[in-house]
mmCIF file of all heavy atoms in Angstrom:
data_model
loop_
_atom_site.group_PDB
_atom_site.id
_atom_site.type_symbol
_atom_site.label_atom_id
_atom_site.label_comp_id
_atom_site.label_asym_id
_atom_site.label_seq_id
_atom_site.Cartn_x
_atom_site.Cartn_y
_atom_site.Cartn_z
ATOM 1 N N VAL Y 27 -2.286 -55.834 -11.949
ATOM 2 C CA VAL Y 27 -1.345 -56.452 -10.980
ATOM 3 C C VAL Y 27 -0.298 -55.448 -10.417
ATOM 4 O O VAL Y 27 -0.217 -55.241 -9.188
ATOM 5 C CB VAL Y 27 -0.643 -57.648 -11.556
ATOM 6 C CG1 VAL Y 27 0.430 -58.186 -10.631
ATOM 7 C CG2 VAL Y 27 -1.688 -58.797 -11.817
ATOM 8 N N PRO Y 28 0.440 -54.706 -11.289
ATOM 9 C CA PRO Y 28 1.277 -53.666 -10.693
ATOM 10 C C PRO Y 28 0.550 -52.553 -9.938
ATOM 11 O O PRO Y 28 1.028 -52.088 -8.884
ATOM 12 C CB PRO Y 28 2.079 -53.120 -11.924
ATOM 13 C CG PRO Y 28 1.268 -53.459 -13.055
ATOM 14 C CD PRO Y 28 0.571 -54.780 -12.750
ATOM 15 N N THR Y 29 -0.687 -52.233 -10.425
ATOM 16 C CA THR Y 29 -1.456 -51.278 -9.741
ATOM 17 C C THR Y 29 -1.852 -51.676 -8.356
ATOM 18 O O THR Y 29 -1.791 -50.916 -7.381
ATOM 19 C CB THR Y 29 -2.728 -50.918 -10.533
ATOM 20 O OG1 THR Y 29 -2.311 -50.383 -11.840
ATOM 21 C CG2 THR Y 29 -3.611 -49.917 -9.865
ATOM 22 N N ALA Y 30 -2.260 -52.886 -8.198
ATOM 23 C CA ALA Y 30 -2.674 -53.446 -6.928
ATOM 24 C C ALA Y 30 -1.532 -53.430 -5.864
ATOM 25 O O ALA Y 30 -1.741 -53.101 -4.745
ATOM 26 C CB ALA Y 30 -3.293 -54.865 -7.082
ATOM 27 N N PHE Y 31 -0.359 -53.882 -6.312
ATOM 28 C CA PHE Y 31 0.753 -53.900 -5.429
ATOM 29 C C PHE Y 31 1.194 -52.473 -5.085
ATOM 30 O O PHE Y 31 1.670 -52.224 -3.921
ATOM 31 C CB PHE Y 31 1.912 -54.728 -5.935
ATOM 32 C CG PHE Y 31 1.697 -56.209 -5.773
ATOM 33 C CD1 PHE Y 31 1.235 -56.975 -6.817
ATOM 34 C CD2 PHE Y 31 1.869 -56.800 -4.575
ATOM 35 C CE1 PHE Y 31 0.930 -58.335 -6.682
ATOM 36 C CE2 PHE Y 31 1.623 -58.131 -4.408
ATOM 37 C CZ PHE Y 31 1.172 -58.943 -5.469
ATOM 38 N N ALA Y 32 1.067 -51.577 -6.012
ATOM 39 C CA ALA Y 32 1.394 -50.143 -5.716
ATOM 40 C C ALA Y 32 0.413 -49.668 -4.646
ATOM 41 O O ALA Y 32 0.812 -48.964 -3.664
ATOM 42 C CB ALA Y 32 1.236 -49.319 -6.967
ATOM 43 N N VAL Y 33 -0.882 -50.014 -4.723
ATOM 44 C CA VAL Y 33 -1.830 -49.545 -3.750
ATOM 45 C C VAL Y 33 -1.607 -50.202 -2.452
ATOM 46 O O VAL Y 33 -1.795 -49.615 -1.352
ATOM 47 C CB VAL Y 33 -3.312 -49.701 -4.307
ATOM 48 C CG1 VAL Y 33 -4.251 -49.438 -3.182
ATOM 49 C CG2 VAL Y 33 -3.530 -48.814 -5.454
ATOM 50 N N ARG Y 34 -1.196 -51.487 -2.464
ATOM 51 C CA ARG Y 34 -0.860 -52.153 -1.114
ATOM 52 C C ARG Y 34 0.231 -51.332 -0.389
ATOM 53 O O ARG Y 34 0.131 -51.128 0.769
ATOM 54 C CB ARG Y 34 -0.436 -53.588 -1.373
ATOM 55 C CG ARG Y 34 -0.248 -54.362 -0.075
ATOM 56 C CD ARG Y 34 0.216 -55.735 -0.237
ATOM 57 N NE ARG Y 34 -0.691 -56.637 -0.924
ATOM 58 C CZ ARG Y 34 -0.506 -57.963 -1.114
ATOM 59 N NH1 ARG Y 34 0.655 -58.507 -0.760
ATOM 60 N NH2 ARG Y 34 -1.412 -58.666 -1.750
ATOM 61 N N ALA Y 35 1.226 -50.881 -1.203
ATOM 62 C CA ALA Y 35 2.294 -50.116 -0.581
ATOM 63 C C ALA Y 35 1.799 -48.702 -0.190
ATOM 64 O O ALA Y 35 2.165 -48.275 0.932
ATOM 65 C CB ALA Y 35 3.400 -49.912 -1.503
ATOM 66 N N LEU Y 36 0.977 -48.097 -0.936
ATOM 67 C CA LEU Y 36 0.524 -46.751 -0.676
ATOM 68 C C LEU Y 36 -0.480 -46.790 0.521
ATOM 69 O O LEU Y 36 -0.418 -45.819 1.361
ATOM 70 C CB LEU Y 36 -0.193 -46.158 -1.945
ATOM 71 C CG LEU Y 36 0.697 -45.808 -3.070
ATOM 72 C CD1 LEU Y 36 -0.081 -45.611 -4.330
ATOM 73 C CD2 LEU Y 36 1.598 -44.590 -2.747
ATOM 74 N N ALA Y 37 -1.288 -47.776 0.646
ATOM 75 C CA ALA Y 37 -2.200 -47.902 1.725
ATOM 76 C C ALA Y 37 -1.408 -48.114 3.014
ATOM 77 O O ALA Y 37 -1.716 -47.501 4.063
ATOM 78 C CB ALA Y 37 -3.159 -49.028 1.518
ATOM 79 N N GLY Y 38 -0.374 -48.970 3.001
ATOM 80 C CA GLY Y 38 0.463 -49.075 4.150
ATOM 81 C C GLY Y 38 1.208 -47.865 4.522
ATOM 82 O O GLY Y 38 1.381 -47.563 5.722
ATOM 83 N N ALA Y 39 1.617 -47.074 3.498
ATOM 84 C CA ALA Y 39 2.298 -45.815 3.748
ATOM 85 C C ALA Y 39 1.399 -44.820 4.407
ATOM 86 O O ALA Y 39 1.774 -44.068 5.313
ATOM 87 C CB ALA Y 39 2.955 -45.268 2.484
ATOM 88 N N TYR Y 40 0.157 -44.767 3.896
ATOM 89 C CA TYR Y 40 -0.801 -43.821 4.496
ATOM 90 C C TYR Y 40 -1.090 -44.146 5.927
ATOM 91 O O TYR Y 40 -1.161 -43.272 6.818
ATOM 92 C CB TYR Y 40 -2.101 -43.851 3.706
ATOM 93 C CG TYR Y 40 -3.151 -42.978 4.276
ATOM 94 C CD1 TYR Y 40 -3.063 -41.583 4.201
ATOM 95 C CD2 TYR Y 40 -4.261 -43.506 5.054
ATOM 96 C CE1 TYR Y 40 -4.039 -40.762 4.755
ATOM 97 C CE2 TYR Y 40 -5.217 -42.707 5.536
ATOM 98 C CZ TYR Y 40 -5.099 -41.299 5.402
ATOM 99 O OH TYR Y 40 -6.062 -40.508 6.009
ATOM 100 N N ASP Y 41 -1.152 -45.446 6.219
ATOM 101 C CA ASP Y 41 -1.376 -45.913 7.638
ATOM 102 C C ASP Y 41 -0.168 -45.501 8.503
ATOM 103 O O ASP Y 41 -0.320 -45.198 9.671
ATOM 104 C CB ASP Y 41 -1.522 -47.431 7.628
ATOM 105 C CG ASP Y 41 -2.023 -47.924 8.906
ATOM 106 O OD1 ASP Y 41 -2.975 -47.295 9.524
ATOM 107 O OD2 ASP Y 41 -1.645 -48.970 9.415
ATOM 108 N N GLU Y 42 1.077 -45.579 7.959
ATOM 109 C CA GLU Y 42 2.254 -45.230 8.710
ATOM 110 C C GLU Y 42 2.532 -43.694 8.833
ATOM 111 O O GLU Y 42 2.846 -43.240 9.899
ATOM 112 C CB GLU Y 42 3.492 -45.861 8.096
ATOM 113 C CG GLU Y 42 3.565 -47.395 8.263
ATOM 114 C CD GLU Y 42 3.687 -47.744 9.756
ATOM 115 O OE1 GLU Y 42 4.426 -47.097 10.487
ATOM 116 O OE2 GLU Y 42 3.070 -48.718 10.126
ATOM 117 N N PHE Y 43 2.383 -42.971 7.761
ATOM 118 C CA PHE Y 43 2.818 -41.587 7.701
ATOM 119 C C PHE Y 43 1.640 -40.658 7.627
ATOM 120 O O PHE Y 43 1.908 -39.429 7.884
ATOM 121 C CB PHE Y 43 3.655 -41.411 6.435
ATOM 122 C CG PHE Y 43 4.891 -42.321 6.306
ATOM 123 C CD1 PHE Y 43 5.101 -43.086 5.214
ATOM 124 C CD2 PHE Y 43 5.758 -42.515 7.397
ATOM 125 C CE1 PHE Y 43 6.169 -43.922 5.111
ATOM 126 C CE2 PHE Y 43 6.868 -43.365 7.321
ATOM 127 C CZ PHE Y 43 7.051 -44.079 6.192
ATOM 128 N N GLY Y 44 0.434 -41.112 7.248
ATOM 129 C CA GLY Y 44 -0.674 -40.184 7.253
ATOM 130 C C GLY Y 44 -0.653 -39.140 6.175
ATOM 131 O O GLY Y 44 -1.383 -38.149 6.205
ATOM 132 N N ASP Y 45 0.123 -39.383 5.133
ATOM 133 C CA ASP Y 45 0.234 -38.346 4.018
ATOM 134 C C ASP Y 45 -0.914 -38.607 3.039
ATOM 135 O O ASP Y 45 -1.074 -39.688 2.437
ATOM 136 C CB ASP Y 45 1.578 -38.579 3.308
ATOM 137 C CG ASP Y 45 1.915 -37.419 2.430
ATOM 138 O OD1 ASP Y 45 1.050 -36.836 1.748
ATOM 139 O OD2 ASP Y 45 3.088 -37.016 2.297
ATOM 140 N N GLU Y 46 -1.721 -37.558 2.852
ATOM 141 C CA GLU Y 46 -2.938 -37.679 2.056
ATOM 142 C C GLU Y 46 -2.640 -37.990 0.569
ATOM 143 O O GLU Y 46 -3.480 -38.600 -0.159
ATOM 144 C CB GLU Y 46 -3.724 -36.403 2.070
ATOM 145 C CG GLU Y 46 -4.450 -36.206 3.420
ATOM 146 C CD GLU Y 46 -5.608 -37.182 3.636
ATOM 147 O OE1 GLU Y 46 -6.135 -37.640 2.656
ATOM 148 O OE2 GLU Y 46 -5.952 -37.462 4.780
ATOM 149 N N LYS Y 47 -1.409 -37.729 0.079
ATOM 150 C CA LYS Y 47 -1.132 -37.985 -1.340
ATOM 151 C C LYS Y 47 -1.117 -39.506 -1.617
ATOM 152 O O LYS Y 47 -1.417 -39.883 -2.747
ATOM 153 C CB LYS Y 47 0.219 -37.350 -1.760
ATOM 154 C CG LYS Y 47 1.425 -37.946 -1.095
ATOM 155 C CD LYS Y 47 2.680 -37.124 -1.547
ATOM 156 C CE LYS Y 47 3.928 -37.680 -0.811
ATOM 157 N NZ LYS Y 47 5.101 -36.857 -1.124
ATOM 158 N N TYR Y 48 -0.808 -40.258 -0.614
ATOM 159 C CA TYR Y 48 -0.825 -41.701 -0.775
ATOM 160 C C TYR Y 48 -2.252 -42.177 -0.950
ATOM 161 O O TYR Y 48 -2.576 -43.062 -1.765
ATOM 162 C CB TYR Y 48 -0.141 -42.441 0.424
ATOM 163 C CG TYR Y 48 1.319 -42.047 0.608
ATOM 164 C CD1 TYR Y 48 1.782 -41.862 1.891
ATOM 165 C CD2 TYR Y 48 2.172 -41.868 -0.457
ATOM 166 C CE1 TYR Y 48 3.180 -41.522 2.072
ATOM 167 C CE2 TYR Y 48 3.503 -41.566 -0.243
ATOM 168 C CZ TYR Y 48 3.992 -41.362 1.024
ATOM 169 O OH TYR Y 48 5.305 -41.060 1.241
ATOM 170 N N LEU Y 49 -3.144 -41.661 -0.114
ATOM 171 C CA LEU Y 49 -4.564 -42.073 -0.223
ATOM 172 C C LEU Y 49 -5.222 -41.591 -1.477
ATOM 173 O O LEU Y 49 -5.966 -42.275 -2.122
ATOM 174 C CB LEU Y 49 -5.275 -41.569 1.016
ATOM 175 C CG LEU Y 49 -6.795 -41.996 1.151
ATOM 176 C CD1 LEU Y 49 -6.784 -43.511 1.237
ATOM 177 C CD2 LEU Y 49 -7.344 -41.412 2.442
ATOM 178 N N ALA Y 50 -4.828 -40.369 -1.923
ATOM 179 C CA ALA Y 50 -5.333 -39.826 -3.189
ATOM 180 C C ALA Y 50 -4.954 -40.727 -4.360
ATOM 181 O O ALA Y 50 -5.714 -40.990 -5.245
ATOM 182 C CB ALA Y 50 -4.824 -38.407 -3.406
ATOM 183 N N ALA Y 51 -3.697 -41.223 -4.343
ATOM 184 C CA ALA Y 51 -3.324 -42.117 -5.420
ATOM 185 C C ALA Y 51 -4.054 -43.417 -5.385
ATOM 186 O O ALA Y 51 -4.356 -44.015 -6.457
ATOM 187 C CB ALA Y 51 -1.752 -42.365 -5.333
ATOM 188 N N ALA Y 52 -4.307 -43.968 -4.190
ATOM 189 C CA ALA Y 52 -5.097 -45.186 -4.065
ATOM 190 C C ALA Y 52 -6.508 -44.967 -4.603
ATOM 191 O O ALA Y 52 -7.083 -45.869 -5.252
ATOM 192 C CB ALA Y 52 -5.154 -45.634 -2.617
ATOM 193 N N ARG Y 53 -7.078 -43.786 -4.314
ATOM 194 C CA ARG Y 53 -8.467 -43.542 -4.868
ATOM 195 C C ARG Y 53 -8.438 -43.461 -6.377
ATOM 196 O O ARG Y 53 -9.313 -43.968 -7.081
ATOM 197 C CB ARG Y 53 -8.946 -42.217 -4.269
ATOM 198 C CG ARG Y 53 -9.383 -42.309 -2.818
ATOM 199 C CD ARG Y 53 -10.238 -41.100 -2.425
ATOM 200 N NE ARG Y 53 -9.607 -39.825 -2.579
ATOM 201 C CZ ARG Y 53 -8.926 -39.279 -1.586
ATOM 202 N NH1 ARG Y 53 -8.900 -39.769 -0.373
ATOM 203 N NH2 ARG Y 53 -8.274 -38.076 -1.783
ATOM 204 N N GLY Y 54 -7.354 -42.884 -6.912
ATOM 205 C CA GLY Y 54 -7.223 -42.838 -8.361
ATOM 206 C C GLY Y 54 -7.122 -44.241 -8.992
ATOM 207 O O GLY Y 54 -7.734 -44.516 -10.032
ATOM 208 N N ALA Y 55 -6.468 -45.179 -8.326
ATOM 209 C CA ALA Y 55 -6.361 -46.541 -8.808
ATOM 210 C C ALA Y 55 -7.790 -47.224 -8.766
ATOM 211 O O ALA Y 55 -8.053 -47.996 -9.662
ATOM 212 C CB ALA Y 55 -5.365 -47.302 -7.906
ATOM 213 N N CYS Y 56 -8.561 -46.878 -7.794
ATOM 214 C CA CYS Y 56 -9.896 -47.467 -7.725
ATOM 215 C C CYS Y 56 -10.731 -46.927 -8.931
ATOM 216 O O CYS Y 56 -11.570 -47.688 -9.475
ATOM 217 C CB CYS Y 56 -10.560 -47.098 -6.370
ATOM 218 S SG CYS Y 56 -9.863 -47.908 -4.988
ATOM 219 N N ARG Y 57 -10.588 -45.730 -9.245
ATOM 220 C CA ARG Y 57 -11.294 -45.170 -10.412
ATOM 221 C C ARG Y 57 -10.823 -45.975 -11.709
ATOM 222 O O ARG Y 57 -11.668 -46.290 -12.553
ATOM 223 C CB ARG Y 57 -11.069 -43.661 -10.603
ATOM 224 C CG ARG Y 57 -11.729 -42.896 -9.533
ATOM 225 C CD ARG Y 57 -11.706 -41.405 -9.892
ATOM 226 N NE ARG Y 57 -10.430 -40.812 -9.884
ATOM 227 C CZ ARG Y 57 -9.790 -40.273 -8.744
ATOM 228 N NH1 ARG Y 57 -10.433 -40.262 -7.621
ATOM 229 N NH2 ARG Y 57 -8.566 -39.772 -8.865
ATOM 230 N N PHE Y 58 -9.591 -46.248 -11.781
ATOM 231 C CA PHE Y 58 -9.069 -47.026 -12.873
ATOM 232 C C PHE Y 58 -9.760 -48.379 -12.982
ATOM 233 O O PHE Y 58 -10.141 -48.866 -13.986
ATOM 234 C CB PHE Y 58 -7.562 -47.174 -12.740
ATOM 235 C CG PHE Y 58 -6.966 -48.308 -13.559
ATOM 236 C CD1 PHE Y 58 -6.874 -48.254 -14.935
ATOM 237 C CD2 PHE Y 58 -6.421 -49.440 -12.913
ATOM 238 C CE1 PHE Y 58 -6.392 -49.289 -15.705
ATOM 239 C CE2 PHE Y 58 -5.948 -50.480 -13.650
ATOM 240 C CZ PHE Y 58 -5.892 -50.387 -15.057
ATOM 241 N N ILE Y 59 -9.804 -49.003 -11.822
ATOM 242 C CA ILE Y 59 -10.463 -50.382 -11.783
ATOM 243 C C ILE Y 59 -11.892 -50.304 -12.251
ATOM 244 O O ILE Y 59 -12.396 -51.066 -13.055
ATOM 245 C CB ILE Y 59 -10.312 -50.958 -10.391
ATOM 246 C CG1 ILE Y 59 -8.846 -51.305 -10.020
ATOM 247 C CG2 ILE Y 59 -11.190 -52.250 -10.263
ATOM 248 C CD1 ILE Y 59 -8.627 -51.589 -8.593
ATOM 249 N N LEU Y 60 -12.672 -49.379 -11.636
ATOM 250 C CA LEU Y 60 -14.079 -49.316 -11.839
ATOM 251 C C LEU Y 60 -14.492 -48.717 -13.207
ATOM 252 O O LEU Y 60 -15.580 -49.104 -13.771
ATOM 253 C CB LEU Y 60 -14.742 -48.520 -10.741
ATOM 254 C CG LEU Y 60 -14.668 -49.088 -9.332
ATOM 255 C CD1 LEU Y 60 -15.159 -48.221 -8.288
ATOM 256 C CD2 LEU Y 60 -15.304 -50.482 -9.269
ATOM 257 N N ARG Y 61 -13.693 -47.863 -13.764
ATOM 258 C CA ARG Y 61 -14.020 -47.196 -14.995
ATOM 259 C C ARG Y 61 -13.265 -47.656 -16.228
ATOM 260 O O ARG Y 61 -13.873 -47.655 -17.362
ATOM 261 C CB ARG Y 61 -13.826 -45.665 -14.854
ATOM 262 C CG ARG Y 61 -14.588 -44.990 -13.780
ATOM 263 C CD ARG Y 61 -14.283 -43.515 -13.722
ATOM 264 N NE ARG Y 61 -14.863 -42.899 -12.505
ATOM 265 C CZ ARG Y 61 -14.701 -41.632 -12.209
ATOM 266 N NH1 ARG Y 61 -13.933 -40.813 -13.009
ATOM 267 N NH2 ARG Y 61 -15.267 -41.072 -11.181
ATOM 268 N N ASP Y 62 -12.091 -48.103 -16.031
ATOM 269 C CA ASP Y 62 -11.257 -48.441 -17.216
ATOM 270 C C ASP Y 62 -11.111 -49.981 -17.516
ATOM 271 O O ASP Y 62 -10.995 -50.380 -18.644
ATOM 272 C CB ASP Y 62 -9.812 -47.944 -17.027
ATOM 273 C CG ASP Y 62 -9.761 -46.422 -17.013
ATOM 274 O OD1 ASP Y 62 -10.778 -45.795 -17.511
ATOM 275 O OD2 ASP Y 62 -8.794 -45.834 -16.559
ATOM 276 N N LEU Y 63 -11.165 -50.751 -16.439
ATOM 277 C CA LEU Y 63 -11.055 -52.221 -16.727
ATOM 278 C C LEU Y 63 -12.365 -52.794 -17.254
ATOM 279 O O LEU Y 63 -13.432 -52.333 -16.841
ATOM 280 C CB LEU Y 63 -10.672 -52.954 -15.385
ATOM 281 C CG LEU Y 63 -9.241 -52.688 -14.888
ATOM 282 C CD1 LEU Y 63 -9.013 -53.418 -13.588
ATOM 283 C CD2 LEU Y 63 -8.216 -52.972 -15.950
ATOM 284 N N ASN Y 64 -12.300 -53.730 -18.084
ATOM 285 C CA ASN Y 64 -13.414 -54.427 -18.614
ATOM 286 C C ASN Y 64 -13.899 -55.427 -17.536
ATOM 287 O O ASN Y 64 -13.197 -55.799 -16.645
ATOM 288 C CB ASN Y 64 -13.086 -55.161 -19.921
ATOM 289 C CG ASN Y 64 -12.629 -54.245 -20.991
ATOM 290 O OD1 ASN Y 64 -13.348 -53.199 -21.264
ATOM 291 N ND2 ASN Y 64 -11.535 -54.532 -21.630
ATOM 292 N N ARG Y 65 -15.149 -55.840 -17.736
ATOM 293 C CA ARG Y 65 -15.708 -56.866 -16.822
ATOM 294 C C ARG Y 65 -15.939 -58.098 -17.657
ATOM 295 O O ARG Y 65 -16.924 -58.233 -18.377
ATOM 296 C CB ARG Y 65 -16.994 -56.357 -16.224
ATOM 297 C CG ARG Y 65 -16.725 -55.020 -15.431
ATOM 298 C CD ARG Y 65 -17.869 -54.440 -14.677
ATOM 299 N NE ARG Y 65 -17.419 -53.213 -14.034
ATOM 300 C CZ ARG Y 65 -17.916 -52.787 -12.875
ATOM 301 N NH1 ARG Y 65 -18.912 -53.479 -12.266
ATOM 302 N NH2 ARG Y 65 -17.470 -51.662 -12.325
ATOM 303 N N GLY Y 66 -15.015 -58.998 -17.544
ATOM 304 C CA GLY Y 66 -15.050 -60.219 -18.363
ATOM 305 C C GLY Y 66 -16.276 -61.053 -18.011
ATOM 306 O O GLY Y 66 -16.704 -61.823 -18.923
ATOM 307 N N GLU Y 67 -16.781 -60.880 -16.869
ATOM 308 C CA GLU Y 67 -18.002 -61.624 -16.488
ATOM 309 C C GLU Y 67 -18.598 -60.846 -15.321
ATOM 310 O O GLU Y 67 -17.921 -60.307 -14.437
ATOM 311 C CB GLU Y 67 -17.700 -63.060 -16.073
ATOM 312 C CG GLU Y 67 -18.854 -64.047 -16.087
ATOM 313 C CD GLU Y 67 -18.404 -65.481 -15.998
ATOM 314 O OE1 GLU Y 67 -17.235 -65.772 -16.210
ATOM 315 O OE2 GLU Y 67 -19.307 -66.268 -15.601
ATOM 316 N N GLU Y 68 -19.970 -60.787 -15.253
ATOM 317 C CA GLU Y 68 -20.585 -59.971 -14.257
ATOM 318 C C GLU Y 68 -22.053 -60.536 -14.105
ATOM 319 O O GLU Y 68 -22.722 -60.813 -15.041
ATOM 320 C CB GLU Y 68 -20.649 -58.487 -14.566
ATOM 321 C CG GLU Y 68 -21.179 -57.639 -13.497
ATOM 322 C CD GLU Y 68 -20.986 -56.169 -13.705
ATOM 323 O OE1 GLU Y 68 -20.766 -55.768 -14.873
ATOM 324 O OE2 GLU Y 68 -21.063 -55.362 -12.731
#
């Protein structure tokens, strides 16, 4: 939950300012979701 809201802000900031560090952090959060979170059902 805090990760998703952080990425919502970072994605909006990348759209506004074009700073690649915001997009890089969003990509890191996606790696967290896909590699670290369990899949309670699939």
Side-chain angles (χ1 to χ4, degrees):
V27 172
T29 297
F31 282 99
V33 172
R34 188 184 291 183
L36 292 165
Y40 178 73
D41 195 40
E42 287 297 318
F43 306 126
D45 194 324
E46 287 291 333
K47 67 184 176 185
Y48 300 139
L49 188 57
R53 288 197 297 264
C56 291
R57 290 193 293 273
F58 161 70
I59 292 169
L60 296 174
R61 299 179 188 178
D62 293 342
L63 291 181
N64 298 310
R65 302 185 179 209
E67 199 167 341
E68 186 171 20

